[in-house]
């Protein structure tokens, strides 16, 4: 194996699992999963989503972590190392480049939405929702979107927090932060599920999430379930590869991948169990779309006992989930620059955050100053979202699957993975034949 330039590694298996699960658990789980489930009729959609996680998600998570381990570097240099070592076509390095570009673009707009969660944290802590009428609560959200100054403030704050943690490195920065943030996130979520249980509408929530009603399903829902499986597990961004490279060689990949998948799925379902009973308790609709969390939920909290307290907890949790993801999105970019320049990690983070801040501005202004600039998929924000989520991500996932199974030799993968023979074979076959077909279908649909 070529020597790796990485100076640090995770100090334990759990540091890695928390960091990788923290990357996977984000706005996708708590903001997006409940609302797309709501829009697609509940239980049946959840079932399809779980199937996607098993067929596309798990094999790809394992593949990405393995590639990181085998390459031992940031995504670009990892793939480059493998290409040189096994004399493969240089074309494959596109995987690393694509991953970094997607990560940067997604990070730029992710921080905009993450900024909203900070604003809502402050709002709920100050009791802003209590005794507000539905109209007032709706106005709260639209007035946030209409004020670029306010959004800019929280957007900047989010980027600064991310940069601060990443600038401290793996052990002193990311690991330390994640050891506090991730357990707090899980505990708050469990408390919220308990609270939802107390509303008396828990059963209705459970039914909505788990009772399949296939009549509400169509081809679009299946495709959005697949797309979401990708996004939710942070696949195609190089983050899993990067975190995998920091994983000490003695730790098993298959086992840790299962934990990551478990946390990601479990937390998405718990978020549904926390949100829907509260929504139903107030006689609101589950299919409110993207505004479910920022409009419907505050409304429900405003009317419930201790709503003030639990609304605050909810938005703190959301902000934490976002932060553990932005950290993972930034790290591969920093690691790449660290290896290929003579700058220090602190300086690189500072510059990267500055460029990131600039790149995200068009997304931020898409909600106000530049809302009138629309083409193709909608505003600039919509276009970046569309381009990254529907096109770049599936392409990169496809390339990863093909690279791991058609370009690299089976024995090499087997050595890196050290799984029992039967499990390895099953994984390999799914990744080689089934995953690529599924992704191609999503991709073609996304483009059309
Ligand atoms: N998985 C995250 C979520 O559910 C979002 C995300 C996508 C992400 N790709 C990533 C986070 C890469 C970190 C790294 O919200």
């Amino acid at each position: 194996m070529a020597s790796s330039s990485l100076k640090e590694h995770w100090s334990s298996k759990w540091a890695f699992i928390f960091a990788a699960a923290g990357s996977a658990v984000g706005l996708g789980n708590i903001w997006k999963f409940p609302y797309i489930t709501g829009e697609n009729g509940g239980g049946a959609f959840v079932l399809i989503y779980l199937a996607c996680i098993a067929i596309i998600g798990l094999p790809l998570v394992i593949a990405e972590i393995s590639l990181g381990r085998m390459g031992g570097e940031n995504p670009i240099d990892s793939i480059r190392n493998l290409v040189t070592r096994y004399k493969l076509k240089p074309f494959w390095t596109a995987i690393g480049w694509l991953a970094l570009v997607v990560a940067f673009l997604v990070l730029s707009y992710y921080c905009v939405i993450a900024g909203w969660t900070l604003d809502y944290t402050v709002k709920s802590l100050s009791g802003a929702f209590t005794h507000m009428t539905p109209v007032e609560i709706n106005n709260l959200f639209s007035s946030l979107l209409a004020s670029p100054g306010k959004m800019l403030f929280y957007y900047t704050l989010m980027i600064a927090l991310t940069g601060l943690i990443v600038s401290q490195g793996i052990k002193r920065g990311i690991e330390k932060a994640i050891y506090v943030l991730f357990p707090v996130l899980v505990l708050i979520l469990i408390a919220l599920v308990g609270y939802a249980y107390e509303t008396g509408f828990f059963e209705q929530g459970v039914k909505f999430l788990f009772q399949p009603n296939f009549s509400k399903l169509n081809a679009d829902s299946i495709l959005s379930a697949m797309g979401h499986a990708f996004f939710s597990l942070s696949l195609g961004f190089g983050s899993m590869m990067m975190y995998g490279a920091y994983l000490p060689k003695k730790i098993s990949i298959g086992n840790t991948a299962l934990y990551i998948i478990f946390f990601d799925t479990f937390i998405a379902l718990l978020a549904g169990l926390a949100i829907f009973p509260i929504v139903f308790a107030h006689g609101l609709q589950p299919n409110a779309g993207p505004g479910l969390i920022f409009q419907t939920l505050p409304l429900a909290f405003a009317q419930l006992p201790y709503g003030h307290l639990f609304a605050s907890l909810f938005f703190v949790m959301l902000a934490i989930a976002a932060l553990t993801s932005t950290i993972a999105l930034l790290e591969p970019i920093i690691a790449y620059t660290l290896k290929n320049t003579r700058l220090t990690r602190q300086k690189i983070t500072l510059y990267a955050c500055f460029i990131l801040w600039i790149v995200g501005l068009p997304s931020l202004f898409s909600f106000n100053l530049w809302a009138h600039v629309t083409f193709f998929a909608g505003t600039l924000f919509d276009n970046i979202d569309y381009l990254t989520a529907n096109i770049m991500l599936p392409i990169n996932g496809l390339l990863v699957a093909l690279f791991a199974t058609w370009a690299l030799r089976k024995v090499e993968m087997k050595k890196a993975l050290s799984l029992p023979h039967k499990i390895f074979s099953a994984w390999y076959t799914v990744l080689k034949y089934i995953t690529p077909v599924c992704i191609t279908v999503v991709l073609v649909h996304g483009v059309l």
Side-chain angles (χ1 to χ4, degrees), residues 46-115:
V46 173
L47 219 58
I48 305 276
Y49 176 73
L50 294 180
C52 294
I53 291 284
I55 298 170
I56 306 186
L58 181 62
L60 270 176
V61 169
I62 296 181
E64 279 205 21
I65 301 176
S66 318
L67 293 182
R69 165 170 288 178
M70 293 162 82
E73 290 288 347
N74 62 76
I76 295 179
D77 290 299
S78 275
I79 303 283
R80 197 181 281 148
N81 280 349
L82 294 173
V83 163
T84 327
R85 193 182 308 152
Y86 301 114
K87 304 196 177 52
L88 306 170
K89 296 223 165 58
F91 155 78
W92 292 110
T93 27
I95 295 179
W97 285 104
L98 202 56
L100 256 63
V101 172
V102 185
F104 205 73
L105 287 177
V106 168
L107 185 52
S108 73
Y109 77 77
Y110 202 83
C111 286
V112 175
I113 303 183

Side-chain angles (χ1 to χ4, degrees), residues 23-24 26-29 110 231-232 234 237 239 325 328-329:
S23 135
L27 297 170
N29 301 60
Y110 202 83
F231 188 81
S232 187
S234 310
F237 290 78
S239 292
S325 293
L329 281 164

Side-chain angles (χ1 to χ4, degrees), residues 114-368:
W116 300 349
T117 70
L118 291 180
D119 176 62
Y120 269 67
T121 304
V122 173
K123 280 197 173 87
S124 50
L125 283 172
S126 64
F129 309 132
T130 330
H131 310 307
M132 271 200 172
T133 64
V135 177
E136 284 170 328
I137 285 185
N138 270 327
N139 289 344
L140 219 51
F141 191 55
S142 20
S143 80
L144 169 64
L145 297 191
S147 66
K150 198 166 196 187
M151 275 176 66
L152 205 56
F153 173 76
Y154 288 110
Y155 166 75
T156 310
L157 188 59
M158 196 67 202
I159 295 181
L161 282 173
T162 309
L164 211 63
I165 295 172
V166 171
S167 71
Q168 299 304 305
I170 298 302
K171 286 200 169 114
R172 258 172 17 122
I174 301 184
E175 222 178 276
K176 270 217 175 113
I178 217 85
Y179 263 133
V180 178
L181 295 177
F182 195 67
V184 169
L185 185 158
V186 175
L187 288 179
I188 295 183
L189 188 54
I190 291 174
L192 282 165
V193 174
Y195 179 70
Y197 185 77
E198 291 296 317
T199 56
F201 285 80
F202 198 68
E203 226 188 288
Q204 218 175 317
V206 172
K207 269 205 187 128
F208 181 74
L209 264 184
F210 296 108
Q211 208 170 57
N213 172 4
F214 287 99
S215 68
K216 291 232 174 109
L217 276 190
N218 51 34
D220 274 347
S221 16
I222 298 178
L223 292 163
S224 73
M226 277 202 232
H228 187 65
F230 246 95
F231 188 81
S232 187
L233 287 168
S234 310
L235 293 167
F237 290 78
S239 292
M240 286 296 167
M241 231 185 267
M242 187 73 246
Y243 278 9
Y246 290 127
L247 185 65
K249 294 247 156 60
K250 56 180 193 297
I251 296 174
S252 142
I253 292 178
N255 174 281
T256 45
L258 282 177
Y259 276 112
I260 297 167
I261 301 263
F262 165 77
F263 275 120
D264 189 61
T265 312
F266 183 64
I267 288 179
L269 293 175
L270 279 188
L273 283 182
I275 292 169
F276 290 121
I278 296 175
V279 169
F280 291 135
H282 198 64
L284 295 166
Q285 290 306 318
N287 58 354
L292 182 68
I293 273 191
F294 293 104
Q295 291 170 299
T296 310
L297 208 59
L299 189 59
F301 276 128
Q303 318 290 330
L304 290 165
Y306 305 107
H308 169 67
L309 172 68
F310 284 93
S312 310
L313 283 176
F314 182 85
F315 287 107
V316 169
M317 171 186 74
L318 198 59
I320 291 179
L323 183 61
T324 55
S325 293
T326 54
I327 294 172
L329 281 164
L330 186 57
E331 178 57 27
I333 298 160
I334 303 301
Y336 172 74
T337 322
L338 194 58
K339 174 164 162 68
N340 295 288
T341 63
R342 290 164 163 269
L343 298 169
T344 61
R345 182 177 262 270
Q346 283 78 4
K347 278 226 174 87
I348 294 169
T349 315
L350 188 67
Y351 299 151
C353 286
F354 180 68
I355 300 173
L356 173 68
W357 187 83
I358 306 259
V359 172
L361 290 181
S363 294
L364 194 150
F365 293 143
S366 293
F367 293 93
N368 32 68

